[in-house]
Amino acid sequence: QGIRKLTLGGNAVKAGAKKLASALQVHPVLEWLELGANNLEDEVVDEICWALAANSTLTHLDLSRNDLTDESCEELAEMLRANSALLSLDLATCRIGDEGAAQVAEALEANSTLRQLDLTQNVMSPVFVTKQLARLKSRVRASFQRAPVMEDEDEDEDVEEDEE
């Protein structure tokens, strides 16, 4: 037995996140981890991803509302290529652009377990979103929505697709 769901969103766990990453390697029953709005930095995301690459119990990871860089997305992509348990990944409102989202999307080609990916309210271009939806919709329930601040304000505001 042990903790199956851990919700730490908005708690400034930045300093303790490294210890949390270490605990993820040995905690055999955690299924749900919510780390949204914690100002996580690349180094911490890297350690969390490294710990989750071989994790076989975590099915939901929420990293929403953190400013994730392309480097963070690269680490997430590596984790997705190796992880075989994660079903849901929430990356909403992380300021992810086309390059970071492309890394995550490409990793899904090697991941057969992820079923839900939330990339809403990021800063991807509408053309990129449309292209990725076409690639992912056959196997992943992907949500994409433009953030309100974009360079081309005259284009459609939302592009969203939910398919299973």
Side-chain angles (χ1 to χ4, degrees):
Q1 277 221 338
I3 297 171
R4 292 183 181 261
K5 183 175 183 177
L6 185 58
T7 303
L8 297 170
N11 283 301
V13 297
K14 192 162 108 176
K18 285 185 180 184
K19 291 179 182 176
L20 176 63
S22 296
L24 287 172
Q25 295 173 22
V26 296
H27 198 293
V29 296
L30 190 64
E31 296 172 358
W32 182 286
L33 179 58
E34 200 262 288
L35 293 171
N38 275 299
N39 294 321
L40 298 180
E41 296 175 349
D42 288 339
E43 182 181 343
V44 173
V45 173
D46 178 36
E47 290 192 32
I48 290 169
C49 289
W50 185 81
L52 292 179
N55 182 287
S56 62
T57 60
L58 195 75
T59 59
H60 176 81
L61 176 61
D62 181 350
L63 293 173
S64 65
R65 297 165 288 140
N66 286 295
D67 285 339
L68 301 184
T69 66
D70 289 337
E71 183 179 329
S72 294
C73 290
E74 185 176 333
E75 297 303 327
L76 283 165
E78 288 300 317
M79 181 270 296
L80 286 170
R81 285 183 188 95
N83 183 283
S84 61
L86 199 63
L87 300 174
S88 174
L89 177 59
D90 187 347
L91 299 174
T93 318
C94 288
R95 301 189 49 77
I96 296 172
D98 291 356
E99 186 177 334
Q103 293 174 33
V104 171
E106 287 169 16
L108 292 178
E109 293 175 13
N111 180 302
S112 62
T113 56
L114 193 76
R115 294 290 172 246
Q116 185 168 350
L117 172 63
D118 188 348
L119 284 164
T120 57
Q121 294 299 308
N122 279 292
V123 292
M124 298 163 291
S125 69
V127 171
F128 175 83
V129 169
T130 303
K131 179 180 171 187
Q132 290 306 316
L133 281 175
R135 276 181 64 195
L136 296 175
K137 71 179 184 179
S138 65
R139 58 169 301 282
V140 175
R141 181 176 175 215
S143 298
F144 295 84
Q145 184 182 40
R146 286 177 44 189
V149 180
M150 292 294 294
E151 291 133 37
D152 264 346
E153 291 299 329
D154 58 311
E155 296 185 42
D156 291 334
E157 284 299 314
D158 298 333
V159 177
E160 188 167 325
E161 177 85 16
D162 289 334
E163 295 277 338
E164 288 193 13

